[in-house]
């Protein structure tokens, strides 16, 4: 009987040990399941955070592209502004040179008129001097005597006028006036050629800048350039 009791006690002890081990295993299982659940929640949180970060990165990328687009637009408009400023300055130079050429041509026309008068005056005085010399020589001709100029013995049509001989000072003054105006004519021609060359160069630059602007903006009239320039500056300011 004692042996049976001892056997039963051992069995009870074994059952108690088994129950304790089972409870421990159950506790460990619960802890493991808890850890798995916690890890899953953490993993879900990480995935959600990654999704949010990816969305933020997409927004940042779109913003970056937008900034790049704005910067590119500003760069293009600044290049356009440089062309507008250059063209405006060229227009002013072209107008100044055109006025200069017109003024020089007026001076040339005035000088040509004065030169024509001076040449006529000089030729008139020369002709008058020659006529006076002819009259004096004619008075010296004698029948059957050789002409002191050509040596002929016949004098069918001797000069018969009584032209007044102009003074040497009159002829010299007329010659100097003519030569002075001829010198002015030469200088004016050179100056006009130089100014027209400069004007042509400026006009070529105007065409070049105008063509380059047509690639960047709608065509506009020449007198609208200041308005277009101001509008472009305002756009650059607003974009900045």
């Amino acid at each position: 009987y004692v042996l049976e009791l001892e056997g039963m006690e051992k069995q009870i002890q074994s059952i108690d040990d088994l129950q304790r081990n089972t409870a421990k295993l159950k506790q460990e299982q619960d802890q493991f399941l808890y850890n798995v659940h916690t890890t899953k929640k953490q993993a879900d949180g990480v995935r959600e955070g990654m999704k949010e970060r990816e969305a933020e990165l997409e927004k940042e990328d779109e913003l970056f592209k937008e900034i790049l687009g704005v910067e590119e637009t500003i760069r293009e408009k600044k290049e356009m502004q440089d062309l507008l400023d250059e063209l405006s300055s060229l227009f002013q130079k072209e107008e100044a040179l055109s006025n200069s050429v017109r003024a020089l041509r007026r001076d040339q026309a005035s000088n040509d008129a004065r030169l024509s008068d001076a040449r006529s005056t000089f030729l008139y005085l020369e002709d008058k001097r020659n006529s006076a010399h002819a009259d004096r020589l004619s008075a010296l001709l004698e029948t059957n005597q050789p002409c002191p100029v050509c040596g002929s013995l016949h004098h069918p049509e001797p000069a018969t006028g009584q032209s007044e001989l102009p003074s040497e000072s009159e002829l010299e003054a007329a010659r100097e006036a003519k030569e002075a105006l001829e010198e002015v004519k030469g200088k004016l021609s050179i100056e006009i050629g130089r100014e027209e060359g400069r004007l042509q160069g400026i006009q070529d630059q105007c065409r070049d800048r105008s063509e380059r602007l047509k690639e960047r903006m709608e065509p506009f009239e020449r007198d609208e350039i200041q308005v277009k320039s101001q509008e472009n500056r305002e756009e650059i300011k607003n974009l900045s």
Side-chain angles (χ1 to χ4, degrees):
Y1 180 74
V2 173
L3 293 173
E4 288 179 359
L5 286 175
E6 290 178 351
M8 290 177 65
E9 288 178 354
K10 289 181 179 180
Q11 289 178 355
I12 291 170
Q13 185 64 39
S14 296
I15 291 171
D16 289 340
D17 291 342
L18 180 61
Q19 287 177 339
R20 283 194 297 271
N21 290 335
T22 300
K24 183 178 180 181
L25 289 172
K26 180 67 169 59
Q27 185 179 7
E28 290 176 353
Q29 182 185 35
D30 292 342
Q31 184 63 43
F32 175 75
L33 291 174
Y34 174 79
N35 291 339
V36 169
H37 179 69
T38 302
T39 303
K40 183 175 181 301
K41 287 180 65 178
Q42 291 175 344
D44 291 341
V46 170
R47 280 194 292 271
E48 187 65 28
M50 290 178 63
K51 287 181 180 179
E52 291 177 357
R53 183 55 182 159
E54 287 175 356
E56 291 175 358
L57 288 173
E58 287 180 1
K59 290 181 180 178
E60 290 176 359
D61 186 56
E62 290 176 359
L63 180 59
F64 181 69
K65 289 179 180 178
E66 184 178 348
I67 292 173
L68 287 179
V70 171
E71 289 178 347
E72 178 65 17
T73 301
I74 291 175
R75 185 187 65 79
E76 292 175 352
K77 287 191 174 295
K78 284 184 176 180
E79 290 180 355
M80 190 162 61
Q81 188 62 49
D82 290 340
L83 288 172
L84 286 167
D85 291 342
E86 287 182 39
L87 187 57
S88 178
S89 176
L90 288 169
F91 280 163
Q92 293 176 6
K93 291 179 181 178
E94 181 187 21
E95 183 177 0
L97 283 170
S98 295
N99 291 336
S100 175
V101 169
R102 283 193 291 270
L104 287 170
R105 288 201 174 279
R106 286 194 297 270
D107 291 344
Q108 185 184 51
S110 175
N111 187 78
D112 285 347
R114 293 169 61 197
L115 177 57
S116 178
D117 291 341
R119 284 172 174 170
S120 296
T121 299
F122 179 70
L123 289 174
Y124 169 75
L125 290 175
E126 274 199 326
D127 185 62
K128 190 175 180 182
R129 180 187 64 177
N130 293 335
S131 296
H133 283 313
D135 290 342
R136 289 188 179 186
L137 288 172
S138 176
L140 298 175
L141 292 176
E142 296 180 6
T143 304
N144 296 324
Q145 295 298 317
C147 173
V149 177
C150 65
S152 175
L153 296 175
H154 303 286
H155 319 296
E157 296 182 5
T160 58
Q162 294 182 350
S163 299
E164 182 181 351
L165 179 66
S167 66
E168 287 299 321
S169 61
E170 286 180 312
L171 277 169
E172 185 62 24
R175 181 184 295 107
E176 288 178 355
K178 177 180 73 71
E179 290 176 352
L181 290 170
E182 286 174 342
E183 183 179 354
V184 172
K185 178 181 176 65
K187 289 180 178 179
L188 282 171
S189 295
I190 293 172
E191 185 66 17
I192 288 172
R194 181 166 51 241
E195 291 295 276
E196 286 181 337
R198 292 176 60 195
L199 178 60
Q200 183 62 52
I202 292 295
Q203 289 173 338
D204 290 342
Q205 292 182 61
C206 287
R207 281 190 291 271
D208 174 72
R209 303 305 187 275
S210 296
E211 290 298 321
R212 289 165 64 183
L213 279 170
K214 285 180 182 178
E215 299 173 359
R216 294 170 168 81
M217 62 188 301
E218 292 295 323
F220 57 87
E221 297 298 325
R222 179 177 180 139
D223 58 1
E224 295 178 321
I225 188 167
Q226 296 302 328
V227 174
K228 296 297 181 181
S229 181
Q230 185 59 36
E231 289 176 351
N232 191 64
R233 286 195 184 94
E234 289 296 328
E235 290 177 5
I236 292 173
K237 182 180 178 180
N238 292 335
L239 286 170
S240 300

